[in-house]
Amino acid sequence: MTERLYYTDAYQLSFSATVLAVVDDERRVYLDRTAFYPSSGGQPHDLGVLGGVAVTDVVDEADRIAHILAGPLPCAVGATVSGNIDAERRVDHMQQHSGQHLLSALFADQYGWPTVSVHFGAEMSTLDIAGTGVDTDVLRDAEARANALIWSNRGITVSFEDAPTAAGLRKPSDRDGTLRIVTIAELDRSACGGTHVRRTGEIGSMLLRRAERTKGHTRVEFLCGMRAVRRARADAALLTSTARLFTAAPDDVPPLVERLQQRTLELEKEQRRLAGELAALEARALWTSTLPSADGVRRIRLTHASGAVRDFEPLAQALIGNGACAVLISTQSPAGVLYATASDTGLDAAVTLRGALTAVGGRGGGSPRLAQGSAPSAEALNEIATSLGFA
């Protein structure tokens, strides 16, 4: 078994141990004891150095812990080896995990929303709670309450208790034997194997960024300690740079953006109206200048070097609106095709185009009046045109 030093002292960042086994090209190492925390309970593993070699992963294998190294360990089995934990990463994880316990207790006690699951990410962490209606006002209130609890500097202690007699746990444990209990004074008692700070004040601060509905619950994104400071600084920098584009103060950005968005919607609506008028004029000119085939159908083919064929839908719709015509519009890069047929032609655009595309290895679909798809190459566009009668 591996003695887990972090269970009793999360602040121990260096240690010595005896090498018990070395496998996998001397890159997987087992020790009699370790301060390296393995990925467990949602908390990421520690990084650091063991015997002068970088530790890239730490794996919990029940009774023992495997240390995955970047290179071979320069020590034989039975030798004493020293290890050093990445202090910044360890403290960061301690702040996030202690902050999560505090936040879970707050949501349960103040709002009646128990925690469903937790995820500790590399940049930010999330808490899924069994509650809805977590709007901006609730987030603001919860954030203020959480930081007040942090600054009250309550003690955080670790104890080991028999599972049958461990009382007052926020969430009952299904484990037998001895439980490791993490207690925040007068706030929370939870069974947990993770690393934690000694007092809530060491969490530093907490930032609740946003909340979103997910699978019937609410996911709250949170950051603690220096993560919260870095994210707040990044958010401030983004707001300042955006304000500079408007030559305005940061506080004036939201109403400016709202007005700009409204103006953009108005301009887009006007652009669509003008594009429709232009398409109608262009369509009428093309339709008039194209002679009907023997079957009475005007076949109009347009080709473009680049662009998306869907951008030409207004023109195609305007053309078939004149009646008795079939329209084939293609783009060479990427190789795409749009096919539209007037209702009085008796042609089904989707069925006809799908057959032509399949024959050259392309794919597509649509409705009887308008269909589009992609071709394997620009050269295949001529084959498609020929099979549709546009030779």
Side-chain angles (χ1 to χ4, degrees):
M1 293 181 63
T2 305
E3 180 186 355
R4 302 169 188 246
L5 301 176
Y6 54 82
Y7 267 176
T8 54
D9 187 1
Y11 291 80
Q12 183 172 352
L13 301 176
S14 61
F15 68 100
S16 61
T18 301
V19 179
L20 299 182
V22 180
V23 296
D24 295 343
D25 297 327
E26 300 181 341
R27 293 170 184 260
R28 194 179 193 93
V29 180
Y30 298 91
L31 309 173
D32 66 333
R33 63 181 199 151
T34 186
F36 280 96
Y37 182 84
S39 296
S40 180
Q43 181 179 327
H45 60 82
D46 283 326
L47 294 177
V49 177
L50 184 65
V53 184
V55 176
T56 61
D57 196 4
V58 187
V59 182
D60 192 335
E61 298 181 355
D63 288 341
R64 62 180 186 170
I65 293 176
H67 304 76
I68 313 303
L69 308 186
L73 181 72
C75 302
V77 172
T80 299
V81 66
S82 60
N84 293 282
I85 311 299
D86 182 325
E88 183 177 354
R89 180 180 172 92
R90 164 65 70 82
V91 171
D92 172 60
H93 290 166
M94 290 162 66
Q95 289 178 318
Q96 309 312 312
H97 206 154
S98 296
Q100 177 265 306
H101 278 223
L102 183 146
L103 187 59
S104 290
L106 171 66
F107 276 130
D109 293 344
Q110 294 294 326
Y111 307 96
W113 298 329
T115 294
V116 177
S117 63
V118 180
H119 172 71
F120 295 104
E123 297 297 328
M124 59 192 64
S125 302
T126 59
L127 190 71
D128 285 8
I129 54 177
T132 58
V134 186
D135 57 18
T136 303
D137 290 337
V138 172
L139 278 185
R140 186 183 297 110
D141 178 69
E143 182 180 85
R145 291 176 182 270
N147 281 295
L149 287 169
I150 288 171
W151 301 329
S152 67
N153 205 27
R154 303 183 183 209
I156 301 178
T157 57
V158 173
S159 61
F160 297 87
E161 304 176 23
D162 290 335
T165 59
L169 296 181
R170 182 166 298 280
K171 181 180 179 180
S173 176
D174 56 2
R175 294 190 177 186
D176 298 323
T178 302
L179 295 180
R180 182 175 183 265
I181 309 297
V182 176
T183 301
I184 302 178
E186 301 178 0
L187 182 66
D188 183 62
R189 270 172 57 84
S190 295
C192 177
T195 56
H196 292 270
V197 296
R198 292 192 182 103
R199 304 193 71 85
T200 59
E202 295 180 52
I203 297 171
S205 60
M206 184 178 296
L207 176 65
L208 303 186
R209 295 200 73 220
R210 63 192 179 99
E212 61 180 5
R213 293 290 302 275
T214 173
K215 298 178 181 179
H217 300 132
T218 298
R219 177 164 296 166
V220 178
E221 182 182 294
F222 72 96
L223 303 94
C224 299
M226 282 305 300
R227 286 197 194 191
V229 174
R230 287 194 297 268
R231 185 65 259 177
R233 169 48 48 199
D235 289 345
L238 288 171
L239 182 58
T240 300
S241 62
T242 303
R244 192 176 296 119
L245 296 175
F246 290 102
T247 317
D251 289 345
D252 295 331
V253 169
L256 281 171
V257 172
E258 187 176 358
R259 289 197 296 270
L260 180 60
Q261 185 181 44
Q262 182 59 39
R263 180 57 178 157
T264 299
L265 292 174
E266 293 171 355
L267 290 174
E268 288 177 348
K269 182 178 179 180
E270 178 66 8
Q271 188 271 336
R272 288 193 296 270
R273 185 186 68 80
L274 293 173
E277 291 182 1
L278 180 61
L281 291 172
E282 185 179 358
R284 189 61 187 174
L286 285 169
W287 190 91
T288 303
S289 62
T290 302
L291 296 176
S293 300
D295 58 1
V297 177
R298 286 174 165 83
R299 287 179 169 79
I300 302 169
R301 182 185 181 188
L302 302 172
T303 60
H304 297 272
S306 61
V309 291
R310 64 175 177 273
D311 294 338
F312 301 100
E313 285 186 17
L315 177 59
Q317 294 281 15
L319 279 166
I320 63 175
N322 287 297
C325 78
V327 182
L328 182 66
I329 302 176
S330 60
T331 56
Q332 295 184 329
S333 180
V337 60
L338 181 150
Y339 184 47
T341 57
S343 59
D344 56 359
T345 62
L347 299 172
D348 187 310
V351 173
T352 310
L353 180 61
R354 190 180 297 115
L357 285 168
T358 301
V360 297
R363 56 187 300 179
S367 68
R369 301 282 66 80
L370 190 146
Q372 56 184 285
S374 59
S377 66
E379 292 71 19
L381 296 174
N382 286 330
E383 296 181 44
I384 294 171
T386 299
S387 66
L388 294 177
F390 288 85

